Amino acid sequence: MTTTTLDAASPAALDLAAGEYWIELVPATHAAPHQISFPAVVEPRRHHGLWVRPRMRREVAEAVCEWLNLVYPVDPDWYPLARFEDDLLVVITGDAPHHRHEITLSEDGRYPLGELGRWYLSAPTRTRDRFSRQLAVLRDPERHYPRPGETVVTCDPANLPVSGFPARIDTSRGQPWVPVFRPEIAEAVAVWCTTNHDTAPDEHPLVYFDRDTLIHVHQHLRSRDAYLPWRINPDPDGNYRIEGGEWAFQVAIT
């Protein structure tokens, strides 16, 4: 996992607003440094059937300009340059002669990047603080032991017991059983899936929290028009009921 050193004034300090999801630009190389995720509204139609079309707030668009100025020297043929001229966002792409793209504010007060860049649905920026938090969660043994009334379940049976997490099993007549996780357990499940997603994206979903909402990005659905990540809100008790066919759990046999 590549991490970056970023301070509170950096683009990584941006947070999601209502209706936004984390997006990321395809890097020039597999291990490119300074990879940063940005919050944006995602248009229903995809670019070339795969990449999202983001719409960004002014402060996010400014952060994108700052970031592009940082990474442009890594591969000038891949990364564009961008700057603001008053309220006009100017993006310079291609080899000489360069192409100048002028992007104005849309009616919703955002800058539509449209077909500029290969953006995809991602997760929060991989900062050192975030990585340290993930390690602490994965190393916490209390997140694997069930309380009375709970059963250990897993969505990764090949890696038991570290992939087993306690849940209350909710059963309804004629319906599949559903695991219900305490908040700290839901965080552990999210960390487990996302850290493994980096090396096996087809087998593990990309999962993160937007405040107290659990966000699930489906690897095979995110390129479809109109797809938006699955949002799982806590129940009145603050627990997370994870149901549906996108994320399958089974009782852990240890």
Side-chain angles (χ1 to χ4, degrees):
M1 178 180 296
T2 302
T3 59
T4 55
T5 303
L6 300 157
D7 58 33
S10 74
L14 294 166
D15 206 350
L16 295 175
E20 293 181 336
Y21 296 93
W22 292 110
I23 64 167
E24 190 173 339
L25 186 69
V26 175
T29 62
H30 179 70
H34 313 301
Q35 278 300 114
I36 292 178
S37 300
F38 296 94
V41 168
V42 175
E43 295 183 7
R45 189 165 60 94
R46 296 300 191 256
H47 173 41
H48 290 315
L50 179 61
W51 315 116
V52 299
R53 299 170 185 265
R55 305 174 71 87
M56 297 179 173
R57 290 174 276 137
R58 170 68 185 246
E59 59 267 36
V60 178
E62 290 175 348
V64 169
C65 292
E66 176 186 345
W67 175 72
L68 287 174
N69 289 334
L70 174 67
V71 298
Y72 176 80
V74 174
D75 191 335
D77 294 331
W78 180 262
Y79 296 109
L81 285 173
R83 66 175 182 269
F84 270 93
E85 297 178 1
D86 295 324
D87 288 335
L88 189 68
L89 174 58
V90 178
V91 181
I92 309 297
T93 61
D95 298 325
H98 299 298
H99 300 283
R100 175 186 169 100
H101 306 269
E102 297 183 349
I103 304 173
T104 59
L105 272 175
S106 59
E107 293 182 357
D108 64 354
R110 296 173 181 271
Y111 289 91
L113 294 191
E115 300 181 2
L116 296 177
R118 296 180 179 180
W119 299 92
Y120 62 97
L121 286 167
S122 185
T125 300
R126 299 170 180 86
T127 62
R128 287 180 178 169
D129 286 347
R130 182 173 177 80
F131 184 56
S132 296
R133 173 62 184 177
Q134 290 175 329
L135 284 179
V137 168
L138 291 177
R139 291 171 177 172
D140 182 4
E142 295 299 321
R143 299 179 193 246
H144 297 278
Y145 291 110
R147 293 178 179 176
E150 293 181 333
T151 301
V152 176
V153 300
T154 181
C155 58
D156 189 8
N159 286 291
L160 288 170
V162 293
S163 67
F165 299 98
R168 175 174 57 83
I169 303 300
D170 189 1
T171 58
S172 299
R173 190 172 183 178
Q175 300 295 325
W177 61 268
V178 176
V180 182
F181 298 96
R182 287 176 273 129
E184 66 272 23
I185 307 303
E187 181 187 18
V189 172
V191 169
W192 172 263
C193 290
T194 295
T195 53
N196 283 279
H197 174 85
D198 289 340
T199 54
D202 290 335
E203 299 176 15
H204 300 275
L206 183 60
V207 190
Y208 61 88
F209 272 91
D210 174 11
R211 298 173 179 84
D212 64 348
T213 299
L214 194 60
I215 308 297
H216 174 287
V217 183
H218 194 290
Q219 174 71 2
H220 302 295
L221 298 179
R222 62 181 173 179
S223 63
R224 295 183 181 180
D225 284 354
Y227 171 78
L228 290 177
W230 182 19
R231 301 181 67 89
I232 306 171
N233 294 310
D235 65 19
D237 295 323
N239 299 317
Y240 292 84
R241 176 186 174 91
I242 301 181
E243 58 185 325
E246 291 188 8
W247 200 351
F249 289 90
Q250 65 185 63
V251 173
I253 306 298
T254 57

